[in-house]
Amino acid sequence: MSEQADSPLSENQLTEVIAEDAPVVDVAQILKIFEAALMTSAEPLSFSELKKLSDAPLETRFVEELLQQLADKYADSGIELNRVASGWRFRARPEMQEYIGRLDPQKPARYSRAVMETLAIIAYRQPVTRGDIEEIRGVVVSTQVLKTLESRAWVESIGTRDSPGKPALYATTQQLLDDLNLRSLSELPALAEMENLLEPNHQETN
Amino acid sequence: MSEQADSPLSENQLTEVIAEDAPVVDVAQILKIFEAALMTSAEPLSFSELKKLSDAPLETRFVEELLQQLADKYADSGIELNRVASGWRFRARPEMQEYIGRLDPQKPARYSRAVMETLAIIAYRQPVTRGDIEEIRGVVVSTQVLKTLESRAWVESIGTRDSPGKPALYATTQQLLDDLNLRSLSELPALAEMENLLEPNHQETN
Amino acid sequence: MSQAELQLIPRALIHGEPLLEMPSDLYIPPDALELVLETFQGPLDLLLYLIRKHNLDVLDIPMAQLTQQYMTYIELMQRNRLELAAEYLLMAAVLIEIKSRMLLPRPPKAGEEEVEDPRAELMRRLLEYEQMKLAAQRLNELPQAGRDFELVQVLIERTVVERLPNVSVDDLRVAWLTLLTRARVNAHHKVRREELSVREQMTRLLRQLRHGEFELFENLFDQAGGVPQLVVTFIAVLELAKETLIEITQTETLGNIYVRTSRLTLE
């Protein structure tokens, strides 16, 4: 916890980064503002939003350095600064959940297999129509399942396919990535290789 | 910012406070838990809630000391730990508001054309009924439009016309003049002049 | 039992017994059957279960065996009058069709043409479904905001200023010009030139008469405003009378003139 006391980048080091004729940045002050903004914002903050918080123009590289400094400050605490799809945000460390959960005995909903399979198909095969999802799952997809995902803002309709009936095309949102603490779709768990699935269970795993 | 590195109460000092046969409290851990819980809770946390966060029983006096330590940790940051009627909570320091307010996605609001035209008609033709406005605009005037203007206290109904249906008569208010920085309605651009601003339809506006 | 299989099986108690595995003789208590039906996501899921449970090769499905097992389930479910989704029956038809096609003697190879395995499409669908099923499981294992971790949300007290639109005199001018332009296009909307102060006086007078009582005519005039003001007010009174917004009465010749709003409904 002593890093922030002992080894922050000095102000000189940091101000070098910004344009010479720009107003001098009060690093300690801007760090406080970033901290307060990130902690109070309901949504992750993007670089462009963070830049708006400063009177002097800031370069992205400098903002990144400040964020790293802030992340280091919380390296040994109950919360952490993360970068996710739509920006930067603080979260409680997952290992705190066990305790925090005691304050609200209501357990958050776990989604049914129908919901999760539909989400997986949309995530890995997007954009897909309801028909595509039904084709893969082999059953009718209820409107309720899609509504659940849409009301969570995890999937959205991004247009229609140019085929009879103009079916809506579904895709996943940034919100899904944010909620899973991911930066991009490429960070989703890799799909199981089809070949591995092909292997019959000949070898008994007693 | 260096207090938490240099002068936390030592574990020995703190554990003395709790009952001798109670499990030993991991002060660093419980501080992290308090921090995470206070940062993520929508409501202030009371002593009894904070005590629930610990596996070992904690005395109120000890919880208070821990909170003081946490408050000190944030003494030089963008947020602060406060005690309020129903417990403890973090909040952004008031001086941060000015900066964080910039993130509001609120764009300068604009009134719709319907609202502006209705206002213009009431201003220039008062007192008028809704029917009069509709006749001039050539379209139905929605209740919402009039409500918008009334809630702004820019127009008010000053009576009804003695005709079928007793339609309300609308006029502009002193508030409108104040907001437009005018002393009287006669300071509004003269209609006659304005008509000259318009090119006759057949003429070319080169 | 493999890991994949474990995840397929409902974690439920049937008559106090955990339902971990289908009994090999396929006898399933009726209420458990209902649960099983709810547990399987459809015919593909049920088929996958049977294939994995019996260590069948997806690439070389013994159709007779699989079809027979599948049909046993379907019959059991029907016997118990469980409402079977149409997909299950459709799949039964598909299985039987594949099975019968495999029984037919293969036509002699005409040239290089390969005869497609009637099971190919089913195999493809089963594998694609299984891939997505596993993906769903892994997706569900990812820590989720609100379920597995909490987001930091520190209070900020905002001096809430509702930002109302600003309107300038110019905005009004633009609005009016738009109206004028339109009025010219639709010639029947006559927008007359008019002295604004008359209108202003009309509004002022109506406000003054709002109480609904008779008001002395003279009291309507503001002497301090000078002659132009008096004229404008007088025109306003006449205009209001013309629009039947006010009543003007005089009980005797040269007597006092009284003015009131015409049966105005007051708010």
Side-chain angles (χ1 to χ4, degrees):
Chain A
M1 224 187 284
S2 55
E3 295 97 299
Q4 74 273 28
D6 304 335
S7 64
L9 296 181
S10 76
E11 282 197 29
N12 284 346
Q13 267 177 288
L14 285 168
T15 45
E16 267 170 32
V17 180
I18 59 166
E20 274 180 36
D21 54 347
V24 174
V25 176
D26 179 345
V27 173
Q29 169 76 352
I30 197 80
L31 273 174
K32 281 187 206 173
I33 296 171
F34 276 15
E35 183 180 46
L38 287 161
M39 286 186 174
T40 54
S41 169
E43 304 292 331
L45 296 180
S46 64
F47 278 115
S48 72
E49 283 171 312
L50 289 164
K51 285 180 192 174
K52 272 190 235 160
L53 296 170
S54 158
D55 291 319
L58 302 180
E59 281 183 23
T60 303
R61 205 181 115 207
F62 180 54
V63 173
E64 219 163 353
E65 265 180 84
L66 290 170
L67 289 165
Q68 192 49 56
Q69 210 176 325
L70 206 52
D72 291 345
K73 173 174 171 186
Y74 288 94
D76 188 34
S77 76
I79 60 170
E80 63 186 7
L81 184 60
N82 293 149
R83 184 172 188 174
V84 293
S86 48
W88 296 76
R89 64 129 184 257
F90 275 105
R91 68 162 177 177
R93 291 179 189 277
E95 59 265 33
M96 297 288 123
Q97 193 64 16
E98 177 194 346
Y99 304 96
I100 298 176
R102 296 179 191 175
L103 297 177
D104 183 13
Q106 268 194 315
K107 290 268 175 282
R110 293 191 83 91
Y111 293 116
S112 67
R113 266 184 62 191
V115 170
M116 289 311 293
E117 286 182 12
T118 303
L119 178 63
I121 292 167
I122 297 174
Y124 287 95
R125 295 269 183 268
Q126 58 191 303
V128 288
T129 65
R130 191 160 162 166
D132 297 336
I133 301 167
E134 292 178 345
E135 171 79 20
I136 295 176
R137 296 195 60 229
V139 284
V140 169
V141 171
S142 79
T143 306
Q144 204 42 57
V145 165
L146 283 168
K147 280 238 179 78
T148 302
L149 291 169
E150 283 182 307
S151 67
R152 182 83 196 250
W154 278 358
V155 312
E156 62 184 350
S157 150
I158 54 160
T160 57
R161 180 172 289 161
D162 195 19
S163 61
K166 300 256 174 227
L169 282 166
Y170 292 95
T172 56
T173 62
Q174 282 211 332
Q175 182 74 50
L176 171 70
L177 297 174
D178 289 349
D179 282 353
L180 298 180
N181 216 44
L182 303 176
R183 287 185 211 188
S184 88
L185 279 175
S186 61
E187 290 182 4
L188 283 177
L191 282 181
E193 299 281 333
M194 289 290 248
E195 289 102 81
N196 294 346
L197 295 178
L198 290 177
E199 267 173 48
N201 285 6
H202 283 321
Q203 323 90 304
E204 199 55 32
T205 358
N206 35 312
Chain B
M1 221 186 289
S2 54
E3 293 96 301
Q4 76 272 27
D6 304 335
S7 63
L9 297 181
S10 77
E11 282 197 29
N12 285 345
Q13 265 177 288
L14 284 167
T15 45
E16 269 170 29
V17 181
I18 59 166
E20 275 180 33
D21 55 346
V24 174
V25 177
D26 180 345
V27 173
Q29 169 76 352
I30 197 78
L31 273 175
K32 282 185 203 176
I33 296 170
F34 277 14
E35 182 181 43
L38 286 161
M39 292 258 190
T40 55
S41 168
E43 302 295 328
L45 296 181
S46 64
F47 279 115
S48 72
E49 284 172 311
L50 288 164
K51 285 179 192 172
K52 268 191 239 162
L53 295 171
S54 160
D55 293 320
L58 301 181
E59 282 183 23
T60 304
R61 205 180 113 209
F62 180 54
V63 173
E64 218 163 353
E65 267 180 85
L66 289 170
L67 288 165
Q68 192 49 57
Q69 208 176 327
L70 205 52
D72 291 345
K73 172 173 172 188
Y74 286 92
D76 189 33
S77 76
I79 62 168
E80 60 189 6
L81 184 60
N82 293 146
R83 183 167 192 177
V84 292
S86 52
W88 296 75
R89 67 149 182 237
F90 276 108
R91 68 158 186 175
R93 289 180 190 278
E95 62 265 32
M96 295 289 123
Q97 252 191 56
E98 175 196 345
Y99 301 96
I100 298 173
R102 298 179 191 172
L103 297 176
D104 275 346
Q106 278 183 306
K107 295 184 184 73
R110 289 189 71 86
Y111 284 125
S112 68
R113 222 176 88 182
V115 169
M116 285 311 297
E117 289 184 7
T118 303
L119 179 62
I121 292 167
I122 298 174
Y124 285 104
R125 284 271 179 267
Q126 57 192 296
V128 287
T129 64
R130 193 157 157 168
D132 298 337
I133 302 168
E134 290 177 346
E135 182 160 354
I136 297 176
R137 291 200 61 225
V139 288
V140 171
V141 171
S142 78
T143 307
Q144 198 44 56
V145 165
L146 285 165
K147 281 231 179 85
T148 302
L149 292 169
E150 284 181 307
S151 71
R152 192 81 194 253
W154 279 353
V155 312
E156 63 180 348
S157 148
I158 54 163
T160 58
R161 180 174 290 160
D162 191 23
S163 62
K166 302 253 179 225
L169 283 164
Y170 294 96
T172 56
T173 62
Q174 185 61 40
Q175 183 73 49
L176 174 68
L177 294 178
D178 291 348
D179 288 352
L180 293 182
N181 215 24
L182 300 177
R183 267 170 298 173
S184 105
L185 277 176
S186 57
E187 288 183 11
L188 278 178
L191 290 185
E193 271 171 44
M194 283 168 60
E195 218 160 340
N196 295 337
L197 292 173
L198 278 182
E199 294 289 329
N201 280 342
H202 55 272
Q203 263 180 266
E204 277 299 318
T205 355
N206 35 318
Chain C
M1 192 159 27
S2 79
Q3 192 59 30
E5 222 177 308
L6 258 175
Q7 280 154 337
L8 268 169
I9 289 162
R11 294 185 203 106
L13 291 180
I14 306 298
H15 299 310
E17 293 288 316
L19 181 71
L20 285 177
E21 199 176 352
M22 295 294 169
S24 49
D25 60 0
L26 283 181
Y27 170 74
I28 308 170
D31 47 351
L33 204 59
E34 197 157 8
L35 195 111
V36 165
L37 193 56
E38 276 171 24
T39 305
F40 287 117
Q41 292 296 302
L44 289 174
D45 200 17
L46 174 55
L47 277 179
L48 265 180
Y49 169 78
L50 294 173
I51 289 169
R52 294 302 183 203
K53 175 174 168 59
H54 296 285
N55 279 327
L56 305 180
D57 186 344
V58 184
L59 285 187
D60 188 20
I61 306 170
M63 285 310 295
Q65 195 186 339
L66 185 67
T67 308
Q68 184 242 318
Q69 286 182 358
Y70 184 85
M71 294 313 289
T72 315
Y73 269 83
I74 300 300
E75 278 159 25
L76 255 173
M77 287 170 180
Q78 281 180 323
R79 205 181 304 154
N80 289 285
R81 303 212 178 107
L82 293 176
E83 223 180 283
L84 258 192
E87 295 102 344
Y88 282 94
L89 301 175
L90 180 66
M91 182 56 76
V94 168
L95 292 177
I96 290 165
E97 200 230 330
I98 295 173
K99 195 176 98 178
S100 57
R101 270 170 63 196
M102 292 184 73
L103 289 175
L104 290 176
R106 303 208 172 189
K109 276 184 191 169
E112 298 296 301
E113 256 182 70
E114 278 228 31
V115 183
E116 211 202 329
D117 188 329
R119 298 170 298 180
E121 172 63 10
L122 179 65
M123 286 168 351
R124 188 196 63 75
R125 290 190 65 192
L126 283 169
L127 287 172
E128 183 168 30
Y129 173 67
E130 186 165 40
Q131 190 183 38
M132 284 303 145
K133 197 178 103 168
L134 292 173
Q137 278 169 14
R138 288 188 204 169
L139 210 52
N140 205 24
E141 282 158 14
L142 289 182
Q144 259 174 39
R147 188 188 76 181
D148 306 303
F149 62 87
E150 299 292 331
L151 297 178
V152 166
Q153 178 74 81
V154 167
L155 175 80
I156 176 157
E157 281 148 350
R158 286 173 214 263
T159 27
V160 184
V161 188
E162 197 195 343
R163 280 205 238 170
L164 292 168
N166 280 323
V167 168
S168 69
V169 170
D170 276 342
D171 294 326
L172 271 184
R173 188 206 306 268
V174 167
W176 189 259
L177 283 174
T178 318
L179 282 166
L180 278 180
T181 320
R182 218 160 39 196
R184 288 182 176 208
V185 177
N186 313 316
H188 59 279
H189 289 299
K190 279 194 211 134
V191 180
R192 292 160 296 153
R193 296 185 179 197
E194 200 161 2
E195 200 53 55
L196 185 65
S197 48
V198 174
R199 290 278 155 191
E200 188 172 21
Q201 286 302 315
M202 286 167 72
T203 294
R204 186 185 67 75
L205 290 171
L206 278 180
R207 279 212 179 90
Q208 192 179 337
L209 295 169
R210 220 173 185 175
H211 46 68
E213 304 298 320
F214 279 113
E215 186 85 53
L216 202 57
F217 182 71
E218 288 93 304
N219 289 350
L220 300 179
F221 294 84
D222 177 14
Q223 306 288 335
V227 176
Q229 181 76 29
L230 293 177
V231 173
V232 167
T233 307
F234 183 64
I235 296 172
V237 172
L238 294 181
E239 191 69 30
L240 285 170
K242 199 180 93 190
E243 292 187 14
T244 69
L245 289 168
I246 57 172
E247 286 168 15
I248 306 177
T249 50
Q250 187 179 33
T251 44
E252 49 185 319
T253 323
L254 296 178
N256 282 335
I257 301 172
Y258 291 97
V259 180
R260 72 166 179 187
T261 48
S262 47
R263 280 175 281 146
L264 203 69
T265 315
L266 297 165
E267 276 139 294

